[in-house]
Amino acid sequence: MRGNIPLGSLENGFLEGASSIPSHPHRAFMRFALREAVRGFHEGEVPVGAIIVLDGRVIASAHNGCERLCDPTAHAEILALRRACEAVGNYRLNGAKMYVTVEPCLMCVGAIHLARLKEVIYGCREPKGGAFGSLYSVHLDGRLNHKVDVVGGVLEEESTALMRAFFRKLRRSKDGLQGEKRDRLG
């Protein structure tokens, strides 16, 4: 057990095909993104993982790094895009797909459009900031000069469970710290 979550439940449930739906390429790549999210979880980052796939192979992967890098822009999507662009030697990733465990925010969707990704596949919705349907629907704005195809809900339960586990752990640790402060103050 690491980080108050049984590691087996993360790795076996999330990464070994816990769902009964037949295997699909989106699901296989999303499992890779979930592995990245689990890494972030264990580093104390909000557990979002992203990978970039070009011509059927993963060319970049990342998880959130905002805490580690002291950088509010170090979202998994941005870090994966930077690595993918470096890997291909171009800031445009024509034909590439992104798999990300949580619906991207407005900042990340802007970067996705600028990189000219073909498709974004995400796990769970982000009702407080998602820009591919939850709060905004940037991909449907006909004024933009690039169209990104979007698929949501791939391994949604696993992605949601990981996010809930992280915030549950965070609340517990904050409650524990509050209790310690009360004890010290008398």
Side-chain angles (χ1 to χ4, degrees):
M1 183 170 201
R2 274 193 269 165
N4 296 333
I5 293 188
L7 191 57
S9 70
L10 292 176
E11 291 175 349
N12 294 333
F14 295 143
L15 306 179
E16 297 303 325
S19 181
S20 61
I21 298 172
S23 186
H24 184 277
H26 284 333
R27 294 170 51 78
F29 284 125
M30 189 61 76
R31 283 190 191 95
F32 195 119
L34 276 164
R35 285 187 189 100
E36 280 292 335
V38 169
R39 287 185 186 108
F41 177 94
H42 292 302
E43 292 177 9
E45 297 283 354
V46 175
V48 178
I51 66 166
I52 308 289
V53 175
L54 183 62
D55 298 327
R57 65 183 186 87
V58 176
I59 61 168
S61 64
H63 55 272
N64 272 2
C66 297
E67 298 289 334
R68 180 180 78 250
L69 300 171
C70 296
D71 179 354
T73 69
H75 290 196
E77 300 94 323
I78 299 294
L79 297 175
L81 285 169
R82 288 176 183 162
R83 291 173 185 164
C85 290
E86 188 174 312
V88 301
N90 194 328
Y91 75 96
R92 292 212 171 143
L93 299 169
N94 295 316
K97 298 178 181 184
M98 175 184 283
Y99 291 81
V100 59
T101 57
V102 177
E103 180 184 4
C105 72
L106 197 54
M107 172 186 71
C108 293
V109 168
I112 286 164
H113 274 274
L114 292 172
R116 304 293 195 263
L117 290 182
K118 175 184 179 182
E119 186 174 25
V120 174
I121 301 92
Y122 69 85
C124 64
R125 296 176 71 88
E126 202 334 357
K128 293 183 179 181
F132 277 146
S134 290
L135 189 58
Y136 303 102
S137 296
V138 175
H139 62 300
L140 300 178
D141 190 332
R143 297 171 295 178
L144 297 172
N145 64 349
H146 176 70
K147 181 174 177 356
V148 177
D149 295 324
V150 177
V151 176
V154 177
L155 298 183
E156 180 176 15
E157 290 178 20
E158 292 87 341
S159 297
T160 300
L162 184 57
M163 292 293 282
R164 284 185 178 149
F166 175 79
F167 286 107
R168 189 177 319 117
K169 176 185 169 190
L170 188 63
R171 281 190 299 277
R172 285 182 185 149
S173 68
K174 282 185 178 180
D175 290 343
L177 289 174
Q178 293 300 323
E180 288 175 21
K181 286 179 184 176
R182 280 193 302 267
D183 292 343
R184 280 183 284 179
L185 296 174

